[in-house]
DNA sequence: AAATAAATTTAGATAAGTCTAAAAATAAGA
DNA sequence: TCTTATTTTTAGACTTATCTAAATTTATTT
């Protein structure tokens, strides 16, 4: 009846849940201890300890030596943290003039602040954003993520036209590269040529010609017209 | 030369510093172990442990059995935390429609977020407020607090007129009492009568007559005309 | 299938922060 | 001043989160 959900987990527990959530999406099948350790820059033994704890709290399904999956409760909790992280990122960019390459570290801290009203009001102030500054979807309060069909620039063919809607690599270096060359979310891009040999492309953006390497093209999401 | 001040202290260390700072102001002389323990709802033995740690980090002057005082470094650090706390409170009230009785707990969490840019930008967004929603002064980046002459309503005499500028008691119950009776910062109050026996007063606010008890009068700060 | 390699877990330590109970120091009262 | 009360510190224990090194399990190769 009275689902007092925000039973409060430690920052560390929340970070593990978030990491497992992301790994589950990208690695399809169950998430391994080592995968988590790598991602979190910690040791496998630490991960094992935490998995036991999360398992006891019904947040993950854990079988020794077999890796983990999130339970429904675990997914909801992870989504709530991701929601907070991304809403804060929008706030930092929209209201505090942060650049999109400098919001992540602060959001990593802010995502653990425990106040439902705070997030609700932020969400309202920002006019209920559906995507964060990197184009990543912001789950709603039920933990559902908005969908948007998007494709990597590297997967488009000559003649295609699309609008930038997200980045795969969110590193500061990559984002600054995009800034430097005038590539930003919302901008239209047309694929003019593709070089088969090194997969580099010639594209048109703001009526300028720009050459981008495979590395760039495979980290930029576009939404194509049609 | 390059004072990288924000060397990062733990939330717990920051909370102790803040508490000692406030106690030093109110208790004048050195702050005792028990005073800190009472204030923080913890045990004296825990306080002793922390005082040793803070002392090693040059944040407090600590002599066994003699209590503590903050060092300059300790004062600066405490002021920085109080600055963050109060700026966040202003933000919550001004931008997120929080009532002044519901901001403190969230600010207790937010004050530990470590990002100079975040606070600078918030400060700017809020137009560099000097006082928080309870009328408490917000120190500047150097740790200096703005002064404002204010007096408790209980110390004024019949005929005096003043403007509400702060509260001494910031409990939710007290603040809600004020809300209920239309008393808010910025409102003008005139003392009409004082009852010697129980120190209650008859005051005029918004052209309404209101009777307030000694308890109320001794927790409301006014700035008198002249 | 046996041997080897890789992944995972366990055992035992460490650090931060807290607690209880006992000891020591200081303050107050007779 | 001597005795008692209060305050403060110390000693030892516990929790959370982490680590290293060793043991165990699972996967891969001959
Ligand atoms: Mn991020
Ligand atoms: Mn993001
Ligand atoms: Mn407060
Ligand atoms: Mn306040």
């Amino acid at each position: 009846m009275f689902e007092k959900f925000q039973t409060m987990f430690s920052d560390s527990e929340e970070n593990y849940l978030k990491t497992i959530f992301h790994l589950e999406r990208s690695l399809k099948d169950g998430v391994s201890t080592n995968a988590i350790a790598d991602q979190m820059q910690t040791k496998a033994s630490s991960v094992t300890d935490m998995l036991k704890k999360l398992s006891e709290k019904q947040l993950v399904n854990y079988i020794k030596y077999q890796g983990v999956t999130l339970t429904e409760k675990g997914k909801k909790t992870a989504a709530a943290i991701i929601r907070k992280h991304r809403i804060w990122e929008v706030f930092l960019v929209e209201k505090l003039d942060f650049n999109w390459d400098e919001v992540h570290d602060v959001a990593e801290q802010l995502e653990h602040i425990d106040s439902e009203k705070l997030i609700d009001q932020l969400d309202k102030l920002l006019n209920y954003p559906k995507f964060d500054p990197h184009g990543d979807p912001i789950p709603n309060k039920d933990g559902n993520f908005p969908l948007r069909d998007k494709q990597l620039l590297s997967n488009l063919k000559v003649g295609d036209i699309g609008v930038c809607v997200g980045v795969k690599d969110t590193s500061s270096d990559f984002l600054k590269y995009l800034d430097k060359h005038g590539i930003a979310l919302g901008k239209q891009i047309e694929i003019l040529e593709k070089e088969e040999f090194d997969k580099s492309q010639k594209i048109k953006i703001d009526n300028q010609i720009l050459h981008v390497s495979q590395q760039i093209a495979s980290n930029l999401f576009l939404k194509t017209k049609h």
Side-chain angles (χ1 to χ4, degrees), chain A residues 75-141:
Chain A
K75 275 186 200 138
K76 281 257 170 103
T77 308
I81 302 158
I82 292 167
R83 173 175 160 80
K84 288 195 278 181
H85 182 105
R86 293 179 178 169
I87 285 178
W88 275 114
E89 286 191 345
V90 174
F91 171 73
L92 295 173
V93 167
E94 295 294 317
K95 300 295 179 183
L96 300 190
D97 296 319
F98 275 60
N99 200 328
W100 65 342
D101 74 308
E102 48 187 8
V103 296
H104 185 74
D105 291 348
V106 190
E108 283 292 310
Q109 298 179 63
L110 289 164
E111 72 189 3
H112 301 295
I113 301 293
D114 179 32
S115 166
E116 200 171 326
K117 178 161 188 172
L118 176 58
I119 286 301
D120 286 349
Q121 292 294 94
L122 269 179
D123 195 27
K124 184 178 171 190
L125 177 74
L126 300 168
N127 216 239
Y128 311 103
K130 290 259 192 308
F131 298 91
D132 84 1
H134 312 104
D136 291 315
I138 299 174
N140 64 17
K141 295 182 77 172

Side-chain angles (χ1 to χ4, degrees), chain A residues 140-195:
Chain A
N140 64 17
K141 295 182 77 172
D142 297 326
N144 298 121
F145 289 72
L147 293 180
R148 180 159 63 183
D149 55 329
K150 58 186 182 183
Q151 291 167 275
L152 288 175
L153 172 55
S154 55
N155 290 335
L156 301 188
K157 56 185 195 304
V158 173
D160 284 349
I161 296 179
V163 175
C164 292
V165 294
V167 291
K168 192 167 162 208
D169 175 1
T170 57
S171 72
S172 188
D173 283 346
F174 179 58
L175 299 177
K176 277 182 179 141
Y177 167 90
L178 297 180
D179 285 343
K180 184 170 146 196
H181 293 91
I183 304 175
L185 300 198
K187 292 247 172 160
Q188 182 176 291
I189 287 179
E190 178 180 353
I191 290 82
L192 301 179
E193 289 178 24
K194 289 186 78 166
E195 174 55 59

